[in-house]
């Protein structure tokens, strides 16, 4: 911490690389971001990851959001790689009043059922979930459960398909073995691993870059902003 490191980076669409000097430090990135959108009485909630702080931040955000009495919600799980299983179950339970959130099946036929729990504060809130090929693991559990129960419209690209449970065993010679011991299934018994969640509304292009009106000194029209077509589609669905 406090020391310098130089990163050589390149950006999508640019042929040349550049050096960027940064200072090493502990970086705490909140996993929850929410706001009321300017268009209509619609809330937007983004979950970037499911870690040890996610539920506390999510619980607080939902409490604040529901005071606004939104007419609909956009739940953004794009590029969410998952994380804590228990947090994913708690989040999905806010929509699912009762029943299974996810099934965990082992190779010998044993099955563990993870049930809904909690306050179910968004059970009656019209919801659109945004997903893409980076939506994986715990975020697929949430999307799959809401889709199975018909509690949300899933919009975007087919998700990654990471629905396996691993056990890590250290051997006597110091080596280690990572073994898949179980797989996850949605409430309607759809396999997540290598299958992913197929959206109800498929969008191959989620973001449209907006370029500058004039080129820079190298003659390149730089990207200055982006249009989120996923959010636009979600708003269209919520207004129906």
């Amino acid at each position: 911490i406090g020391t310098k490191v130089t990163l050589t980076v390149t950006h999508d669409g640019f042929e040349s690389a550049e050096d960027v000097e940064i200072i090493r430090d502990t970086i705490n990135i909140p996993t929850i971001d929410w706001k009321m959108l300017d268009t209509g009485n619609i809330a937007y909630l983004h979950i970037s990851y499911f870690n040890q702080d996610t539920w506390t931040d999510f619980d607080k955000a939902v409490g604040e959001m529901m005071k606004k009495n939104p007419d609909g919600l956009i739940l953004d799980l794009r590029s969410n790689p998952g994380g804590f299983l228990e947090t994913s179950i708690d989040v999905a339970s806010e929509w699912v009043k009762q029943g299974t959130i996810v099934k965990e099946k082992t190779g010998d036929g044993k099955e563990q059922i993870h049930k809904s729990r909690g306050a179910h504060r968004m059970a009656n809130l019209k919801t659109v979930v945004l997903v893409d090929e980076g939506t994986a693991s715990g975020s697929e559990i949430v999307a799959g459960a809401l889709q199975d129960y018909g509690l949300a419209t899933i919009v975007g690209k087919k998700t990654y398909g990471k629905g396996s449970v691993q056990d890590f065993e250290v051997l006597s010679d110091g080596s280690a073995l990572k073994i898949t011991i179980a797989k996850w299934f949605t409430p309607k018994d759809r396999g997540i691993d290598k299958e992913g969640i197929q959206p109800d509304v498929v969008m191959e292009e989620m973001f449209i870059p907006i370029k500058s009106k004039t080129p820079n000194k190298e003659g390149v029209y730089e990207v200055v902003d982006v249009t989120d077509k996923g959010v636009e589609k979600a708003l269209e669905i919520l207004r129906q």
Side-chain angles (χ1 to χ4, degrees):
I1 292 179
T3 59
K4 296 180 180 179
V5 61
T6 300
L7 305 178
T8 301
V9 301
T10 184
H11 306 279
D12 185 27
F14 293 89
E15 296 180 357
S16 60
E18 63 176 317
D19 288 341
V20 178
E21 186 180 87
I22 63 173
I23 306 297
R24 291 184 176 94
D25 204 342
T26 299
I27 301 173
N28 181 26
I29 302 175
T31 61
I32 301 295
D33 177 39
W34 85 276
K35 60 185 176 182
M36 294 299 296
L37 299 180
D38 295 334
T39 306
N41 190 36
I42 304 298
Y44 170 88
L45 175 66
H46 178 237
I47 307 177
S48 58
Y49 193 75
F50 294 103
N51 66 14
Q52 67 273 11
D53 300 319
T54 302
W55 173 251
T56 301
D57 295 340
F58 177 83
D59 182 47
K60 180 181 178 181
V62 170
E64 294 173 352
M65 182 180 71
M66 295 308 286
K67 290 179 182 178
K68 303 289 186 180
N69 194 27
D71 295 324
L73 169 67
I74 300 171
L75 176 63
D76 194 345
L77 297 178
R78 290 175 293 187
S79 297
N80 182 323
F84 287 18
L85 171 63
E86 295 301 317
T87 304
S88 303
I89 295 169
D90 287 334
V91 168
S93 296
E94 286 295 322
W95 285 266
V96 182
K97 286 185 177 180
Q98 61 181 2
T100 299
I101 298 296
V102 64
K103 301 176 183 179
E104 194 172 301
K105 298 182 181 182
T106 61
D108 58 5
K110 293 180 181 179
E111 183 176 276
Q112 182 178 359
I113 305 295
H114 297 276
K115 295 282 190 178
S116 173
R117 59 208 184 197
H120 324 302
R121 289 168 289 182
M122 293 182 286
N124 299 313
L125 183 61
K126 190 173 183 180
T127 302
V128 171
V129 181
L130 298 178
V131 299
D132 62 13
E133 66 271 33
T135 303
S137 192
S139 54
E140 290 178 288
I141 289 175
V142 175
L146 268 58
Q147 187 180 51
D148 275 8
Y149 287 109
L151 297 172
T153 302
I154 312 300
V155 174
K157 298 181 181 180
K158 183 179 177 181
T159 63
Y160 184 81
K162 168 64 172 69
S164 60
V165 183
Q166 280 82 37
D167 187 25
F168 190 77
E169 295 288 342
V170 178
L171 306 180
S172 59
D173 64 353
S175 61
L177 190 63
K178 195 174 185 180
I179 310 169
T180 297
I181 59 172
K183 292 187 176 181
W184 290 331
F185 292 79
T186 72
K188 287 188 176 181
D189 238 17
R190 294 185 294 154
I192 294 175
D193 198 52
K194 296 183 175 61
E195 298 294 331
I197 303 299
Q198 182 67 33
D200 301 304
V201 179
V202 176
M203 294 188 67
E204 291 301 328
E205 196 168 26
M206 301 283 276
F207 299 98
I208 305 297
I210 301 174
K211 294 188 177 182
S212 59
K213 295 181 179 180
T214 57
N216 60 20
K217 59 183 179 180
E218 283 81 25
V220 176
Y221 289 86
E222 296 180 342
V223 175
V224 294
D225 203 351
V226 66
T227 298
D228 193 332
K229 302 298 288 185
V231 168
E232 288 185 355
K233 187 64 179 179
L235 286 170
E236 177 187 324
I237 293 170
L238 290 171
R239 294 191 190 109
Q240 292 175 355

